């Protein structure tokens, strides 16, 4: 709410010039329009303590409940995070972390055990997280060819210059070209639940629905349709770091293979900050009342392919439930509560000021 | 006889002349007879007028060159080129497109204007002209005219080039001309043909003329021309006649009241005086522009230091190779091989490019547009329209709009500026007898003249009649005998409604009219005879021999006439100071007393004297004059000498008094200016008493004002040094006594021209150079009003210069109406011309022209105030919004490995300043009114709130910059903590860096637009439309930009980013939160400042608001009552 009033100045019409006869002179006379005379009717708000303080109270009263709501929601979200980089010698993936290079042909396996104290209700989202990985480096961000990824055949054969130095391999163009594609995250994670009689049962992981719908269906397209990808990618090379070609990313499902592989699409959306997480799999809620992930012991089987220690990076696996406001983020709720309280407090201060100063000013200025 | 003596004079002169800068024109292209003179073929330009700047071929290079000479454009060009050459974070499009836009728009505008000029040139150059060739009139095109051609011009035609009048259809060889299009003077001016050629009537006669004209090379002064015509007759010595400005018909002027004339072209094409006057005046720059440039330099420093910091940090951070080149992100071979210094330099440039938006292209465009469009409000202002004149205010330059709000010193002319310059004859005094016309003048009864016709009652016949005759003869008034006159009507409806007096000097008209009322009517000038109808209704004829024209240095004019009885009489009228020293007899004492008395009453006085010339004296005078007039060099000076010799040994006849009424609301205006904190100085050529009376009448001096006099009279008694020191002491003492008291005595200073030049003269006595100057300035600083009388035009400019150069560097404004004010108008920061009766020179040379002095009040207090706050906000806001824009990019570098990764998409980078945030501020800067016009006018003291560039001083600038930095930090870290490691969507999918940037950008656009909305005090429907419209445009654009796979782009990074963001709840919540947080401090600052220490402006706003509210409440109460009564009535 602001102090406001409509000023009463109205355009008093085009009263034609009082004197008649001076024809030439009258033409030069400026038009008596409200705009030209700067007399357009206007709302003239002024920010005084008196007029602003209701706004502060209103903001306070709206923000604090929202903040509390957000904070509670955020606190109700279950999130579990485990670092499996293996940089310390007692961690299970230590040997893998030591040995893995891009040249190694043998995959390295390791397992990490963990315990969920409380059960995870509803859908659980499985993320992998990387730290100190500069996906937002300029050289990296631009190193892609969106035309190629959109299935453009000429770009497939002749990728954009931006892809350098990951543009060609030997004489063959790389598909998909560029640093982003080349550094595709290729660890695979499998989750097992260890039930009370110590038997492991695999938790079903859904690999669809992790990428933006528009990315999968519009922005990313395989050259020449999804069938017979091998032929479509004939004459291109796989990215240097890849073990298998792009058309072998998910041979089981033609709708998830090639450029439209969801893991690939997720990776191609470069993260904003050097510590980031990306959606890996979704664990669907089971029908009935059983929690998606009951509390208990779990084991994570990792195919350790992705070296991060060379740049002092970390790898994490995150399990999280999601609410209407996304993942766990206490910051938003706290921020809302803080701002709401500040506004409320300022409202009180302004109330005092208003009583001390505004009235005095008014009474001084206007003899009643 | 006279003629041969003239020839002798001429021949003597010839040898002395320096012929280098003169030209010889062969009339009709006829060579002079052999032996008379060497034929010097000279080449002159043809009569083609080229006002256009470009041709078809050189338009692009020349225009580009001129545009890139501007430092800002050049800066953006450099940025653009850097982007083209090196690998930079943003595509060249981001800076190329705005630059291209700006350059193209300017080029199109200039091209269009030039095309119009071409067209105008063409139509002028091809308009038909009649030329006499071989005794026949031949029609040709204007541009084919050559110097030496004889041209025929008919009535109401415009002269095609500068011409020397040979003969006219009028028998006396004169023609009438208006120069409205040249200098705006609408009066008819008379031009003369030389007697030797004025008799030519037909083409054949004209063609038979064999003569050459020698004249100076073209120069731009419209009122100066010196030349000589040599006429060759068969086997005779050539006859030489002087040519002056009265013989030269200027291109652009129009022939009036004359059927046709024959004239010979002397200056053609670009050498005509009109063309030479096209040259533009020197550029004035406003204080706002200067502070804007200072801010720009600060921002340039910030920009460079940002780039340096980032470059240094980059290399520090990259020290370990796994950060420099991790396995996932290799450089290309080329890059790797580059030397590290080159790489660092390239990085520096890339950072510069990334942050270059902090100095926006669009600011210049917006400021230009604001000034250009904003200035229309002045010319549209109905209140500054003068019905009588039929004209409103004129804006000659829009660069100084905001300077109108910064004026500290106002220098005003008196006559015609403070006063009407509408003269009314009050009385005359002959030998101590006072005569007052009894008649009714212009429908008004003169109060003082209560019907006493003293003419017949008083004695003193001859002197008195001579005095009246003198006033009837000694003038340059023309008589118009038509029903309608194009010029200003000044007719007397005394049974002869058909005759009007027209003159460039209103004093003269008043005098001649006054004489008419006293019984002596000036009828006409016919065949060089002036005809007077005396009080016995007899016509007296005097042969007009010479007119010694008025000039402001001599301050007098004279005529030499020959009466019917054969007496040679010299009549002179002029200011008392220039007449009395030259008077040898007459009742000086009585007249002097009367003159002084009249002056005290604020009347303009002139003294009239005469001298009877003997035949030989006349011959001698004639000789002097001819000698001076024939000179090609220093003619002015020689004429002045000649005048000085002739105008002496006068017999004093009497004095006249003419009233010049104060202009309407002059006093009110001056009072307002005083209240607004301006110091008003009156600079006048008038005498002290008259000027002081006017000053009291116009409330420049009040009764309480203590007058300090610094006049010649005083300095004659004491020496200047003592007087100055004494005055200074008085002023200082007063100030120390009054101290805090509000109603302190104010001082008024009166200084005259002679003393002023003594003060300004460098001190020879070694007692400290310029010592007096400082003391004088010190005194002036403590005086609220200063009157400088007896000023020469140049002294006016000197005063302005003196104040301008004083150590506070105040902003000065000069206002005047006459040619003598031009120098100060040009000198002052802002020059304002009054569209006066003394011609248009002041208005033409001014930055703004207004019809009346009273309009100055609205001009400064309303328009000036508005323009200042508008442009101040514009400048500060532009810097603020670009800090908000760029600082997050700077912060982002710390999180992306100093890799120059832009935070925002290219489209956003490009369009942020061009379209998302440009219109609201432009509109704000055009229509904002922080207080209403009525308030500004009612409370002139509000002007003090913006004095001394108060809205653009460093603390304010610092506040805005800090606010910008704060907002940027809020945007960036707000988004950072919200984005950090969490999911934003309810389907678990993650956002990337472009969403991060878009989120920040959305908050940014909304915040800066809403910040402007908070600053807007005047919400018209246009403001609503533009502010909400531009936000809507941003949203729609973003939806569109992300909604399609754009085939021409080779990246699709923004595809669906905006929509995905909007589909996420937390994004909405964080946008709202961040906007609130970033607007909060500004709101609090505003509210607290207003509550704790409100400025006068803020108090006025509140007052206005309360009044409106009261009115509204009353209306509501009335309405309710009415409603109640209706209700109860219907109930009943």
């Amino acid at each position: 709410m602001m102090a406001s009033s409509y000023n009463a100045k109205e355009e008093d019409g085009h009263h034609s010039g009082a004197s008649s006869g001076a024809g030439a002179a009258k033409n030069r006379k400026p038009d008596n329009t409200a705009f030209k005379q700067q007399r357009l009717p206007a709302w003239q708000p002024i920010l005084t303590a008196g007029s602003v303080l209701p706004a502060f109270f209103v903001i306070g009263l709206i923000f604090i409940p929202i903040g509390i709501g957000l904070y509670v929601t955020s606190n109700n979200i279950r999130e579990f995070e485990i670092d499996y980089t293996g940089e310390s010698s007692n961690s299970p993936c230590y040997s893998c972390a030591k040995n893995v290079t891009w040249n190694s042909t043998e995959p390295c396996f390791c397992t990490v055990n963990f315990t969920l104290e409380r059960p995870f209700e509803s859908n659980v989202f499985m993320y992998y997280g990387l730290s100190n990985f500069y996906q937002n480096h300029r050289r990296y961000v631009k190193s892609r060819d969106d035309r190629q990824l959109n299935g453009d055949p000429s770009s497939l054969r002749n990728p954009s210059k931006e892809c350098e130095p990951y543009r060609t391999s030997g004489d063959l163009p790389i598909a998909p070209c560029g640093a982003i594609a080349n550094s595709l995250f290729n660890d695979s994670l499998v989750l097992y639940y260890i039930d009370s009689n110590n038997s492991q049962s695999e938790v079903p992981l859904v690999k669809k629905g992790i990428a933006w719908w528009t990315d999968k269906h519009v922005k990313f397209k395989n050259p020449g349709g999804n069938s017979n990808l091998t032929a479509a990618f004939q004459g291109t090379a796989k990215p240097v770091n890849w073990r298998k070609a792009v058309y072998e990313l998910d041979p089981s499902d033609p709708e998830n293979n090639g450029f439209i592989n969801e893991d690939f699409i997720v990776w191609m959306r470069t993260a904003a900050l050097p510590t980031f997480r990306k959606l890996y799999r979704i664990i669907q809620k089971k029908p009935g009342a059983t929690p998606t992930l009951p509390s208990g012991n779990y084991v994570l089987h990792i195919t350790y392919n992705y070296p991060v220690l060379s740049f002092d990076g970390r790898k994490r696996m995150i399990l999280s439930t999601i609410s209407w406001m996304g993942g766990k983020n206490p910051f938003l709720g706290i921020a809302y509560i803080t701002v709401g309280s500040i506004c409320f407090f300022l409202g009180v201060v302004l109330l005092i000021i208003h009583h001390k100063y505004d009235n005095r000013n008014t009474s001084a200025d206007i003899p009643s | 006889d006279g003629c041969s003596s003239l020839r002798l004079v001429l021949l003597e002169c010839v040898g002395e002349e320096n012929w280098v800068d003169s030209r010889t024109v062969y009339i009709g292209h006829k060579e002079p007879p052999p032996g008379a003179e060497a034929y010097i073929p000279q080449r002159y330009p043809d009569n083609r007028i080229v006002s256009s700047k470009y041709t078809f071929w050189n338009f692009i290079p020349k225009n580009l060159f001129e545009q890139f000479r501007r430092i800002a454009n050049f800066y953006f060009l450099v940025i653009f080129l850097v982007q083209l050459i090196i690998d930079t974070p943003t595509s060249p499009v981001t800076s190329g497109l705005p630059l291209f836009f700006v350059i193209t728009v300017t080029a199109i505008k200039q091209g269009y204007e030039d095309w119009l000029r071409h067209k105008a040139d063409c139509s002028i150059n091809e308009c038909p002209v009649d030329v006499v060739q071989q005794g026949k009139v031949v029609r040709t095109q204007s541009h084919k005219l050559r110097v030496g051609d004889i041209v025929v011009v008919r009535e109401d035609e415009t002269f095609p080039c500068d011409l020397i009048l040979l003969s006219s259809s009028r028998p006396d060889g004169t023609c009438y001309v208006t120069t409205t299009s040249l200098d705006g003077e609408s009066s008819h001016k008379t031009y003369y043909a030389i007697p030797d050629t004025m008799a030519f009537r037909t083409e054949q006669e004209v063609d038979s003329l064999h003569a050459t004209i020698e004249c100076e090379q073209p120069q731009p002064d419209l009122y100066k021309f010196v030349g000589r015509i040599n006429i060759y007759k068969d086997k005779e010595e050539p006859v030489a006649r002087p040519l002056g400005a009265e013989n030269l018909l200027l291109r652009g002027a129009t022939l009036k009241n004359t059927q046709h004339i024959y004239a010979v072209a002397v200056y053609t094409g670009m050498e005509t005086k009109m063309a030479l006057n096209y040259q533009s005046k020197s550029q004035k720059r406003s204080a706002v522009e200067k502070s804007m440039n200072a801010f720009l330099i600060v921002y340039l420093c910030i920009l460079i230091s940002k780039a340096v910091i980032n470059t240094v940090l980059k290399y520090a951070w990259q020290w370990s190779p796994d950060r420099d080149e991790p396995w996932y992100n290799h450089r290309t071979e080329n890059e790797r091989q580059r030397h590290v210094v080159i790489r660092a330099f390239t990085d520096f440039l890339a950072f510069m490019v990334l942050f270059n938006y902090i100095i926006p292209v669009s600011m210049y465009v917006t400021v230009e547009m604001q000034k250009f469009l904003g200035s229309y409000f002045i010319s549209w202002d109905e209140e500054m329209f003068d019905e009588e004149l039929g004209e409103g205010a004129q804006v000659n330059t829009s660069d100084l709009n905001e300077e109108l709000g910064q004026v500290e010193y106002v220098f005003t002319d008196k006559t015609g500026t403070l006063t009407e310059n509408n003269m009314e004859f009050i009385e005359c005094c002959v030998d101590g007898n006072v005569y007052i016309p009894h008649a009714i003048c212009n429908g008004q009864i003169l109060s003082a003249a209560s019907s006493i016709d003293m003419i017949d009652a008083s004695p003193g016949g001859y002197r008195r009649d001579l005095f009246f005759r003198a006033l009837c003869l000694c003038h340059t008034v023309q008589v118009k005998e038509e029903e309608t006159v194009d010029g200003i009507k000044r007719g007397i409806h005394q049974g002869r409604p058909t005759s009007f007096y027209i003159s460039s000097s209103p004093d003269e008209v008043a005098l001649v009219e006054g004489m008419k009322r006293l019984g002596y009517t000036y009828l006409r000038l016919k065949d060089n005879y002036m005809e007077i109808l005396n009080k016995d209704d007899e016509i007296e004829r005097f042969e007009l021999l010479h007119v010694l024209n008025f000039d402001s240095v001599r301050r007098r004019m004279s005529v030499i006439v020959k009466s019917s009885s054969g007496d040679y009489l010299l009549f002179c009228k002029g200011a008392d100071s220039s007449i009395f020293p030259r008077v040898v007899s007459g009742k000086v004492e009585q007249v002097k007393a009367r003159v002084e008395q009249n002056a005290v009453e604020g009347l303009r006085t002139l003294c009239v004297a005469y001298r009877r010339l003997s035949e030989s004296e006349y011959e001698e005078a004639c000789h002097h004059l001819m000698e001076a007039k024939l000179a090609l060099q220093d003619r002015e000076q020689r004429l002045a000498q000649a005048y000085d010799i002739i105008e002496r040994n006068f017999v004093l006849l009497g004095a006249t008094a003419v009233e010049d009424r104060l202009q309407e609301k002059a006093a009110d205006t001056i009072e307002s200016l005083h209240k607004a904190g301006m110091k008003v100085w009156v600079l006048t050529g008038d005498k002290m008493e008259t000027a002081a009376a006017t000053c009291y009448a116009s409330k420049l001096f009040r009764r309480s004002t203590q007058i300090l006099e610094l006049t010649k009279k005083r300095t004659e008694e004491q020496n200047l040094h003592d007087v100055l020191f004494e005055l200074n002491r008085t002023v200082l003492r007063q100030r120390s006594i009054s101290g805090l008291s509000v109603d302190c005595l104010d001082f008024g200073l009166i200084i005259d021209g002679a003393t002023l030049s003594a003060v300004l003269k460098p001190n020879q006595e070694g007692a400290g150079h310029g010592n007096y100057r400082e003391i004088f300035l010190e005194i002036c600083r403590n005086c609220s009003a200063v009157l400088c009388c007896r000023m020469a035009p140049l002294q006016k400019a000197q005063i302005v210069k003196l104040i301008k150069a004083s150590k506070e560097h105040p902003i000065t404004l000069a206002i005047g109406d006459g040619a003598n004010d031009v120098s100060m108008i040009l000198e002052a920061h802002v020059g304002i011309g009054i569209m006066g009766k003394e011609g248009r020179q002041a208005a033409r040379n001014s930055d703004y022209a207004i019809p009346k002095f009273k309009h100055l009040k609205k001009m400064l207090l309303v328009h000036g105030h508005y323009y200042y706050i508008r442009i101040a906000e514009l400048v500060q806001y532009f810097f603020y919004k670009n800090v908000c824009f760029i600082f997050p990019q700077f912060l982002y570098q710390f999180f992306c490995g100093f890799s120059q990764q832009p935070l925002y998409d290219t489209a956003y980078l490009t369009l942020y300043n061009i379209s998302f945030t440009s219109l609201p501020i432009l509109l704000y800067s055009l229509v904002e009114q922080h207080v209403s016009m009525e308030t500004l006018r009612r409370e002139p003291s509000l002007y003090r709130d913006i004095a001394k560039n108060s809205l653009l001083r460093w603390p304010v600038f610092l506040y805005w910059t800090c606010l910008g930095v704060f907002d940027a930090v809020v945007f960036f870290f707000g988004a950072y903590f919200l984005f950090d490691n969490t999911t934003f969507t309810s389907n678990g999918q993650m956002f990337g860096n472009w969403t991060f940037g878009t989120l920040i950008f959305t908050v940014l656009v909304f915040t800066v637009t809403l910040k402007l909305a908070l600053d807007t005090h005047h919400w018209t429907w246009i403001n609503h439309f533009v502010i909400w419209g531009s936000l809507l445009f941003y949203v729609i654009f973003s939806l569109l930009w992300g909604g399609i796979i754009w085939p021409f782009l080779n990246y699709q990074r923004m595809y669906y980013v905006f929509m995905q963001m909007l589909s996420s709840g937390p994004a909405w919540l964080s946008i709202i939160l961040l906007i609130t947080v970033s607007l909060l401090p500004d709101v609090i600052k505003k509210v607290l400042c207003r509550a704790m220490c409100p400025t006068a402006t803020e108090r006025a706003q509140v007052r206005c608001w309360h009044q409106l509210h009261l009115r509204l409440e009353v209306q509501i109460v009335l309405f309710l009552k009415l409603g109640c009564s209706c209700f109860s009535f219907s109930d009943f």
Side-chain angles (χ1 to χ4, degrees), chain B residues 743-804:
Chain B
D743 193 36
C744 73
L745 201 78
D746 58 349
F747 291 99
L749 178 74
I750 300 181
I751 184 167
D752 61 8
T755 322
L756 184 77
S757 51
V759 169
L760 296 186
K761 200 164 57 189
N763 200 349
Q764 299 104 329
E765 293 155 34
H769 176 84
N771 220 2
Y772 291 163
R773 198 179 281 234
E774 281 309 310
I775 298 167
F776 175 65
L777 280 175
E778 184 61 40
I779 298 170
C780 292
R781 222 169 272 144
N782 291 305
C783 293
S784 60
V786 177
L787 165 64
C788 305
C789 43
R790 294 282 184 230
M791 302 289 278
L794 216 60
Q795 272 183 315
K796 291 187 178 184
Q798 270 181 346
I799 289 247
V800 175
K801 205 172 194 167
L802 178 76
I803 297 298
K804 247 171 95 178

Side-chain angles (χ1 to χ4, degrees), chain B residues 834-858:
Chain B
I834 303 264
M835 300 163 180
K837 290 174 180 145
E838 289 180 14
R840 282 301 179 86
Q841 273 156 305
R844 265 195 311 144
N845 287 293
S846 63
D847 303 310
Y848 301 90
I850 49 178
K852 285 273 155 58
F853 183 72
K854 65 172 177 183
H855 298 134
L856 188 66
K857 182 176 169 183
K858 189 167 189 199

Side-chain angles (χ1 to χ4, degrees), chain B residues 429-704:
Chain B
C429 153
V430 184
D431 289 352
N433 299 319
V434 178
Y435 301 92
I436 301 169
H438 69 288
I440 291 164
C441 165
N442 290 343
Q444 286 173 306
I445 299 168
L446 294 171
S447 55
S450 47
S451 81
I452 316 157
D453 188 356
M454 297 175 75
I455 292 180
D456 297 316
S458 61
Y462 179 71
R463 278 282 186 80
R464 186 193 63 207
D465 290 348
L466 197 61
F467 175 82
F468 293 150
R469 285 193 187 100
L471 284 179
C472 282
L473 297 172
C474 182
H475 57 71
T476 53
V477 171
Q478 293 166 33
V479 183
K480 270 280 147 281
E481 294 180 1
E482 284 132 293
E483 196 73 49
T484 53
V485 186
D486 289 325
I488 301 157
K489 287 176 191 170
R490 209 172 287 127
I492 304 163
H493 307 275
Q494 270 191 349
R496 280 171 181 246
T498 52
S499 74
F500 301 93
Y501 292 127
I502 290 174
S503 167
S504 54
S505 154
D507 286 78
E508 288 195 329
V509 175
L511 287 174
V512 177
E513 279 172 6
M515 286 307 106
K516 193 169 183 174
R517 297 212 302 276
L518 286 171
Y520 282 79
T521 310
Y522 169 64
L523 291 177
R524 64 189 71 88
L525 176 71
K526 198 177 170 192
D527 301 333
N528 239 5
Y529 279 90
M530 292 176 107
E531 295 181 357
I532 299 173
L533 188 71
N534 70 13
K535 63 174 188 285
D536 305 323
D537 274 344
E538 296 158 6
I539 290 179
E540 297 175 13
R541 291 169 53 110
F542 294 87
E543 188 185 358
L544 180 63
L545 300 169
H546 287 287
V547 178
L548 285 61
N549 276 322
F550 178 84
D551 64 62
S552 51
V553 180
R554 253 163 73 238
R555 301 168 61 79
R556 61 179 178 266
M557 74 156 292
S558 311
V559 289
I560 302 175
V561 294
K562 191 177 173 187
S563 70
S564 44
S565 56
D567 294 330
Y568 291 100
L569 290 167
L570 170 78
F571 291 113
C572 178
K573 74 168 197 281
D576 51 286
S577 61
S578 60
I579 298 283
F580 285 131
R582 295 166 182 275
V583 165
V584 288
S585 68
K587 297 188 175 173
V588 179
E589 289 313 309
Q590 288 98 318
V591 174
K592 210 173 204 166
R594 189 71 197 167
V595 165
E596 268 163 24
Q597 190 194 330
N598 281 337
V600 168
E601 285 171 23
L603 301 176
R604 293 162 70 86
T605 56
L606 283 177
C607 292
V608 181
Y610 86 107
R611 175 184 172 197
R612 197 178 293 276
L613 299 172
S614 66
E615 183 87 27
S616 61
E617 279 172 324
Y618 170 69
E619 287 297 331
E620 194 193 330
C622 209
H623 172 87
H624 282 303
L625 285 175
M626 283 321 277
E627 187 178 359
K629 278 187 185 172
L630 282 176
L632 284 180
Q633 303 262 307
D634 303 329
R635 185 183 280 183
E636 300 288 308
Q637 208 182 322
R638 290 193 193 197
L639 268 177
Q641 282 166 5
Y643 290 161
D644 193 49
I645 295 166
I646 298 163
E647 291 171 330
R648 55 178 55 174
N649 302 334
F650 287 140
V651 178
L652 187 67
L653 283 171
T656 60
V658 168
E659 189 184 18
D660 186 6
R661 265 175 302 151
L662 271 188
Q663 273 199 9
E664 197 192 341
K665 288 187 184 162
D668 171 56
T669 307
I670 287 202
E671 219 178 351
S672 304
L673 297 185
H674 265 303
K675 279 187 193 152
M678 282 175 251
K679 292 189 171 159
V680 183
W681 291 38
V682 174
L683 313 180
T684 176
D686 236 332
K687 51 189 296 178
M688 186 185 130
E689 290 78 7
T690 317
T694 313
C695 287
Y696 274 111
S698 60
K699 296 204 181 144
L700 186 70
F701 296 154
R702 268 154 292 185
R703 292 292 150 216
S704 60

Side-chain angles (χ1 to χ4, degrees), chain B residues 703-736:
Chain B
R703 292 292 150 216
S704 60
T705 309
Q706 188 181 337
I707 302 292
L708 311 172
E709 271 185 44
L710 197 58
T711 53
K712 208 173 154 198
K713 216 193 288 174
R714 236 187 120 178
T715 48
E716 274 165 2
E717 293 160 14
Q718 281 170 292
N719 71 32
L720 179 65
H721 186 269
D722 295 345
V723 176
L724 272 174
F725 274 88
E726 195 189 312
L727 290 181
N728 197 18
R729 235 174 293 133
T730 321
V731 172
L732 288 178
R733 186 167 355 111
Q734 192 61 43
R735 199 171 54 176
S736 60

